[in-house]
Amino acid sequence: MVRNCSIEAVRMLAVGLLLTAAACKDDPGPSADTDGEDGTGGDEDTDGVGACEQAPGRVGLRRLTRAEYDRTVRDLFGVSSAPAQRFPPDSSTGGFDNNAKSLTISPQLASLLLDAAEEVAAEAMANDAGQIIACDPSVVPSCARDTLRSLARRVYRRPPTEAELDDLMTLVAFAEDEGDGFAAGIEHALQAMLMAPQFLYLSVPADSMGRLQAGERVPLDDYALASRLSYFVWGSTPDDALLDRAEAGELHDPDALRAELDRMLADPRSEALYNSFVVQWLQLGKLAAATPDPDAFPQYSDALRDEMLEETRLFFEDLRARDGSMLELLTSNRTFANEELAAIYGVEGVTGSALVPIETDPTQRAGILTMPAVLTMTSGPQQPNIVRRGVWLAEALLCVTPPPPPAGIPPAPDPSPGETERERLERHRQDPSCASCHDLIDPLGFGFESYDALGQWRTSVEGQPVDDLGTLPDGTDFRGAVELSQALAQSEAFPTCVAEKLVTYALGRATTAQEDCMLAEIGLDHVTPDSTVSDLVWAVVSSDAFQMEIAG
């Protein structure tokens, strides 16, 4: 092995480089905030968003998230040890953990990244040295440089420069001079690649950006576009086929790009759209904190909680595999259940632990709004929580974030004898300082009153008939979650919100005020009964916001 002192020197240098890159990381500036005012007019686009003047905001450098890191080393080298799970959790901004502004590198994380680089490089060489080193250095004089060129193309997601190869060759030569051998030199060069900003960050081409004035727009080059596409759809690195398309300069051809997108959506790696996008969009991580009372709900267990979450995954994966309409998230009464979940739904004839397709009662159930996972995570231990359910609906499906309660405002009062939950909350809203939030969220939450804290159907509460009359922010009245789902499906607010969530996730930044028109057009054109999941994703991928960047 390379001498310990040399390893430490390389580690210290790498930490310094990582922290320098983090410190110099572009500040996306006001254009990355929802209320930003910068950005210039865009060229007309003839595919769905052409009527809007597009002014893409700025992403800049974006570090890989923990999940992206683990998927990337898995797809590059078959490393399955999930080394990034030892990193500190990624913070969430705008509902997603891939926001460029949040993905900083602390000294602690820099050290852990170096540990992971060593671990991944060692495991990669142990697993697949024969594939990594495809030549004999004693026979092929250029073997080291050829090996590093091929390896760096995959790790950096673009061809390395000659200067980058020179630096990596120095490590190979050093290892050989120290008597450690050729393979050890390649392993240490791979460690250096995995420590490099070129691997850890997604970025636009430095040479292109350097020639522009601040605020000017530039199309992503094919390699940067390939990376943005692969981390959007797969949450992982481009494969060789996508890099080959980038090398051929084909990804700015709409037909070639759409073909690649369709290929990627059909690949099992697109499950990342559920694991990273849907789970965060619908806030499904909150289910882990749910604590139904064991006396009131003895059937609840960790296993049932996992099955609730698995139902949402199977539902979305089925929708993606069929390439159905995103409106089915609201309107479908087809889902997946095992015996325990079927009992919650009141569906008979399902036995065993495996989740199988079922049809639910269309007068009681409609899509995600009535799934046990959502209804349980928005409940208290014994009773549903109207406010929590209203907040979830506002944030996840309407893209409206209720402001936090003013300081010093007491919680809602305890119910008076014989007072219903609706009456208690109406009394709470009589305080003007409370009404500003609760006038929005309470009428949304009332629509879920037919479901208990585990998502089971009910017709009465404490001997009184359920009152599930609710109101949307636009004044539309509905009775119950099924009517609510239908109203959302017919609204402009839900499709536009879906587009906003998807674009926010795809770009790793908040959308701008200048992009509101684009978001509305994407949503209203592609969250429809006749449009599919792939049509919606394509509308995002073909937009200026996805394919361009603003210089700093």
Side-chain angles (χ1 to χ4, degrees), residues 58 99 221 322 394:
R58 185 151 186 245
N99 187 288
D221 73 13
R322 291 185 293 102

Side-chain angles (χ1 to χ4, degrees), residues 311-326:
E311 177 198 1
T312 67
R313 187 190 71 81
L314 291 173
F315 181 90
F316 182 79
E317 286 300 296
D318 175 69
L319 178 65
R320 181 185 60 81
R322 291 185 293 102
D323 203 19
S325 165
M326 286 292 284

Side-chain angles (χ1 to χ4, degrees), residues 343-357:
I344 293 176
Y345 278 116
V347 173
E348 298 179 349
V350 179
T351 60
S353 60
L355 275 69
V356 297

Side-chain angles (χ1 to χ4, degrees), residues 57-78:
R58 185 151 186 245
V59 179
L61 292 171
R62 181 176 81 73
R63 174 175 64 79
L64 301 183
T65 66
R66 295 196 309 168
E68 289 170 341
Y69 187 104
D70 282 340
R71 291 192 200 105
T72 297
V73 299
R74 176 202 67 191
D75 293 343
L76 285 173
F77 307 117

Side-chain angles (χ1 to χ4, degrees), residues 169-190:
M169 284 292 293
T170 300
L171 293 173
V172 178
F174 182 82
E176 291 184 305
D177 290 345
E178 293 291 313
D180 297 319
F182 182 79
I186 296 298
E187 180 177 331
H188 289 303
L190 177 54

Side-chain angles (χ1 to χ4, degrees), residues 345-401:
Y345 278 116
V347 173
E348 298 179 349
V350 179
T351 60
S353 60
L355 275 69
V356 297
I358 66 167
E359 298 284 338
T360 59
D361 184 340
T363 67
Q364 299 179 3
R365 304 287 173 170
I368 56 174
L369 268 66
T370 58
M371 286 187 178
V374 169
L375 296 168
T376 300
M377 77 184 191
T378 55
S379 295
Q382 295 181 326
Q383 296 293 335
N385 189 307
I386 290 172
V387 172
R388 204 176 290 171
R389 288 176 172 179
V391 169
W392 173 82
L393 179 62
E395 292 179 345
L397 304 188
L398 298 176
C399 290
V400 176
T401 301

